[in-house]
Amino acid sequence: RHLLQTPEKTLCFNESNPECMESMTGEILRPIEIYVEDILAKTIVAKIAKELGISKRVVIKQYGSCTNAFVASSGMHMLGQSLDHKLFVLDGDACRTEEEREKQLKKYYSGTEPDKEQKRDEVLRHISQLDLPDGELPEKYINHILREDIENQNAEIVALAKSIIEPDDSHKYLDDIIDGLGDEESIGLYKVIEELSKHPEWKSYTKSVRNWLINEKNNLSL
């Protein structure tokens, strides 16, 4: 349902979609909110939304370190804010299992009230992750994928990826590619993720977030 406030009354629309409301109000509605750790994850999620044709309906915000996902999601829920159409995405290198995420959430959403477990379960349903292989770091994993031989490769990005050997900081697995391209961070990351999306591993790496977005697309009739 959508509510539209007019000078005379509030109108309620059943089973409408953002396009319908947008045509009436002239405002772009972005009902889907996704919270991510950093600009790398933001670029990845933006690419998934673009592939699904719903970029216009998605807002992506950064929350910082991994633990902030649990702080922000539990805080919203405690304040009575709905988590509908909201997803908190972890990078996948920490809190990988449901048990680990539940343990982390209990630190910030504590209490022994009879309904506390139910409330925590509601929050946990809105925390997901990129499907990073066990023991991998995001930047190193992406760098190694970019080295694999596929058709229509960006030769410059591939050469830069192969030139990086065990840097002292894992972020340099991608930072040095971007520096080599001579681009600003956001532009360079966009090129890197565009290249990553050509690889077969892309679909498995982004599976959890992609499936959630597909469900949102269907639920919101986008």
Side-chain angles (χ1 to χ4, degrees):
R1 296 175 180 175
H2 286 88
L3 298 178
L4 176 64
Q5 181 70 55
T6 74
E8 297 181 357
K9 63 175 66 176
T10 298
L11 304 176
C12 179
F13 294 84
N14 293 314
E15 300 183 9
S16 65
N17 60 32
E19 281 77 8
C20 172
M21 298 304 298
E22 189 175 300
S23 65
M24 297 183 66
T25 64
E27 298 179 2
I28 296 178
L29 299 178
R30 294 184 170 88
I32 300 173
E33 296 180 18
I34 300 184
Y35 298 81
V36 298
E37 291 189 34
D38 51 29
I39 190 173
L40 171 59
K42 184 175 183 178
T43 308
I44 291 171
V45 172
K47 175 61 177 174
I48 302 169
K50 180 181 177 182
E51 290 177 343
L52 296 176
I54 57 173
S55 296
K56 188 178 181 181
R57 305 302 171 195
V58 178
V59 176
I60 308 170
K61 303 177 182 180
Q62 294 175 221
Y63 58 74
S65 67
C66 173
T67 55
N68 287 341
F70 302 94
V71 176
S73 57
S74 59
M76 287 183 187
H77 198 266
M78 283 188 282
L79 290 170
Q81 297 182 29
S82 172
L83 295 183
D84 290 348
H85 315 304
K86 293 181 176 68
L87 185 69
F88 296 81
V89 179
L90 307 175
D91 282 355
D93 55 343
C95 299
R96 293 176 52 84
T97 67
E98 185 174 345
E99 291 76 15
E100 289 174 319
R101 292 193 287 273
E102 183 176 355
K103 181 179 179 180
Q104 191 68 233
L105 184 63
K106 284 182 177 180
K107 294 180 182 179
Y108 307 103
Y109 208 163
S110 58
T112 57
E113 303 93 307
D115 63 344
K116 187 60 70 173
E117 285 297 329
Q118 179 183 346
K119 289 180 177 179
R120 280 194 286 258
D121 287 343
E122 289 174 4
V123 174
L124 284 170
R125 286 197 291 271
H126 294 270
I127 299 176
S128 186
Q129 66 183 16
L130 291 165
D131 297 289
L132 193 66
D134 191 21
E136 286 279 14
L137 295 172
E139 294 84 2
K140 184 177 181 180
Y141 172 67
I142 292 172
N143 178 287
H144 287 179
I145 289 178
L146 295 176
R147 299 167 183 238
E148 298 175 6
D149 293 328
I150 59 169
E151 293 183 8
N152 303 315
Q153 282 181 302
N154 182 316
E156 185 178 16
I157 289 178
V158 173
L160 286 167
K162 290 181 177 179
S163 71
I164 301 168
I165 309 296
E166 298 297 334
D168 55 1
D169 182 344
S170 65
H171 292 90
K172 290 185 177 181
Y173 277 107
L174 298 186
D175 289 346
D176 287 356
I177 294 176
I178 295 168
D179 289 342
L181 292 172
D183 293 318
E184 294 181 3
E185 183 180 25
S186 59
I187 297 173
L189 272 176
Y190 176 82
K191 291 180 180 179
V192 167
I193 298 307
E194 282 284 317
E195 181 67 18
L196 177 67
S197 68
K198 300 176 186 177
H199 289 257
E201 292 89 343
W202 169 250
K203 289 291 178 67
S204 60
Y205 178 42
T206 60
K207 181 179 178 181
S208 296
V209 176
R210 182 183 302 274
N211 287 344
W212 185 87
L213 277 173
I214 290 172
N215 287 333
E216 288 296 298
K217 180 178 181 178
N218 294 334
N219 291 338
L220 292 168
S221 301
L222 301 179

